[in-house]
Amino acid sequence: MPIQHILLAILVAAVWGCNFIFVKLGVHEMPPLFLCALRFFLASVPAIFFIRWPTHAFKMVALYGIVMFALQFSLLFTGMAVGMTAGMAGLLSQTAVFFSIFFAAIFIGEIPTIWQIMGALLSFTGIALAATHLDGSMTVAGFLLVIAGAACLGLGNLIARKLGHISTATLVGWGSLIAFPPLLIVSLLIEGPEHILSSLHHFSWLVLISLLYIVYISTWVGYGAWSWLLGRYPVSLVVPFALLVPVFAMLCSIVFLNESFEPWKMTVTGLVIAGLCINSLVPRLIRKKKKY
């Protein structure tokens, strides 16, 4: 992989890591479910007018849109609104890797390797440590909602595998459109029209910037560049760069939101990332060594 493509992969990780900052800023001024609904409306319109209808796999695309977009992000946004820092949300979301392994074992009988089990145990040891430090900035509700969002992301990854080869534009565009109506309905029922109208009345430039980043930079630019890289290089070469996402999320949260970084957070971050490395990198290194 040439240096410019390595830098592109790092940039995508940085974009996705910084996304948690903009979500936190957005839910500070707007109801989380309504913000989520707006995100997917803007991600789908007008894009769908230029994207082919997924005739051969519409049901699976619809399921992907509900699980991966509507469920995952509504849980994440709400969790961050009720009590979860941007940095820790970025870190906890990475447990989706192990939820993917868990769901693959349940639904398609894919037996996890010893390295996957070891990685999961190490990462969830870090998550358990984080759970013992819940306070005003990290509530029980926020913690559980973000973990539930990671579980939906893990299930969404399994659905994406079932879809096979389908363009990112089709998946993001039509999946976003499918996610929008249920999110809007739930927002109206839970958050209420008055709260929504009030947030629109006080719509600020900060919310606008957050929305633009979440929709266009994180969703379209991020997923587009990532898919471009996956289309040109082996998955084993590209995917490890995703390990940088929680690092960027934590660093950006510290720099831009003044999030504290106590010793226990350093330990949690180390455990989770070490678990991800064991799951993602060790098996590849072993296979490479056997090959030579």
Side-chain angles (χ1 to χ4, degrees), residues 60-71 171 174-176 178-179:
M60 290 299 289
V61 171
L63 182 62
Y64 182 89
I66 294 297
V67 174
M68 191 72 153
F69 291 161
L71 278 176
L171 207 52
W174 288 105
S176 295
I178 289 161

Side-chain angles (χ1 to χ4, degrees), residues 3 42 45 66 73 75 77 114 170 174 191 208 258 271 277:
I3 185 66
L42 293 174
V45 178
I66 294 297
F73 286 101
L75 290 166
F77 280 34
I114 184 64
T170 299
W174 288 105
E191 295 165 340
L208 177 62
N258 295 318
L271 287 169
C277 287

Side-chain angles (χ1 to χ4, degrees), residues 41-53:
F41 175 76
L42 293 174
S44 60
V45 178
I48 54 167
F49 298 114
F50 306 95
I51 300 171
R52 185 178 298 176
W53 176 266

Side-chain angles (χ1 to χ4, degrees), residues 135-184:
D135 52 26
S137 61
M138 260 177 53
T139 64
V140 174
F143 180 86
L144 293 176
L145 285 167
V146 171
I147 291 293
C152 289
L153 174 55
L155 187 58
N157 288 335
L158 193 62
I159 296 169
R161 281 179 58 183
K162 288 287 186 181
L163 276 164
H165 296 289
I166 186 169
S167 74
T168 302
T170 299
L171 207 52
V172 172
W174 288 105
S176 295
L177 183 67
I178 289 161
F180 169 66
L183 281 170
L184 181 60

Side-chain angles (χ1 to χ4, degrees):
M1 186 184 287
I3 185 66
Q4 62 265 34
H5 294 171
I6 292 173
L7 293 174
L8 179 62
I10 294 172
L11 178 62
V12 173
V15 163
W16 285 342
C18 291
N19 187 59
F20 292 94
I21 308 299
F22 288 96
V23 172
K24 188 66 177 178
L25 293 173
V27 298
H28 182 68
E29 298 192 21
M30 182 166 280
L33 294 175
F34 184 64
L35 179 67
C36 200
L38 273 182
R39 177 241 178 105
F40 289 113
F41 175 76
L42 293 174
S44 60
V45 178
I48 54 167
F49 298 114
F50 306 95
I51 300 171
R52 185 178 298 176
W53 176 266
T55 51
H56 68 290
F58 177 73
K59 289 183 179 179
M60 290 299 289
V61 171
L63 182 62
Y64 182 89
I66 294 297
V67 174
M68 191 72 153
F69 291 161
L71 278 176
Q72 185 216 157
F73 286 101
S74 63
L75 290 166
L76 174 65
F77 280 34
T78 305
M80 293 182 70
V82 300
M84 179 55 61
T85 62
M88 287 305 295
L91 186 67
L92 296 177
S93 295
Q94 302 312 304
T95 56
V97 171
F98 303 109
F99 282 114
S100 296
I101 295 167
F102 174 73
F103 289 130
I106 291 177
F107 295 117
I108 59 178
E110 200 172 88
I111 300 173
T113 66
I114 184 64
W115 297 110
Q116 289 174 325
I117 294 171
M118 288 175 62
L121 288 174
L122 194 59
S123 285
F124 279 101
T125 299
I127 300 305
L129 176 60
T132 64
H133 289 84
L134 300 177
D135 52 26
S137 61
M138 260 177 53
T139 64
V140 174
F143 180 86
L144 293 176
L145 285 167
V146 171
I147 291 293
C152 289
L153 174 55
L155 187 58
N157 288 335
L158 193 62
I159 296 169
R161 281 179 58 183
K162 288 287 186 181
L163 276 164
H165 296 289
I166 186 169
S167 74
T168 302
T170 299
L171 207 52
V172 172
W174 288 105
S176 295
L177 183 67
I178 289 161
F180 169 66
L183 281 170
L184 181 60
I185 292 169
V186 173
S187 174
L188 288 168
L189 291 173
I190 295 177
E191 295 165 340
E194 290 185 7
H195 191 189
I196 292 170
L197 288 173
S198 176
S199 68
L200 289 173
H201 180 70
H202 296 93
F203 196 87
S204 69
W205 63 268
L206 190 61
V207 175
L208 177 62
I209 291 173
S210 297
L211 257 178
L212 292 175
Y213 186 95
I214 293 166
V215 173
Y216 299 108
I217 305 299
S218 178
T219 302
W220 282 111
V221 174
Y223 279 106
W226 193 253
S227 297
W228 186 86
L229 288 167
L230 286 173
R232 283 155 180 78
Y233 300 102
V235 173
S236 60
L237 193 62
V238 178
V239 168
F241 285 99
L243 295 171
L244 294 172
V245 173
V247 177
F248 280 114
M250 191 64 73
L251 288 174
C252 290
S253 185
I254 293 168
V255 172
F256 297 109
L257 298 181
N258 295 318
E259 181 179 338
S260 60
F261 195 57
E262 298 92 338
W264 69 266
K265 284 188 180 180
M266 190 180 298
T267 304
V268 169
T269 303
L271 287 169
V272 171
I273 293 178
L276 290 168
C277 287
I278 290 173
N279 172 76
S280 179
L281 299 180
V282 172
R284 293 184 175 94
L285 292 173
I286 292 174
R287 286 196 297 270
K288 187 174 181 180
K289 186 176 180 181
K290 287 181 177 179
K291 184 179 178 180
Y292 293 104

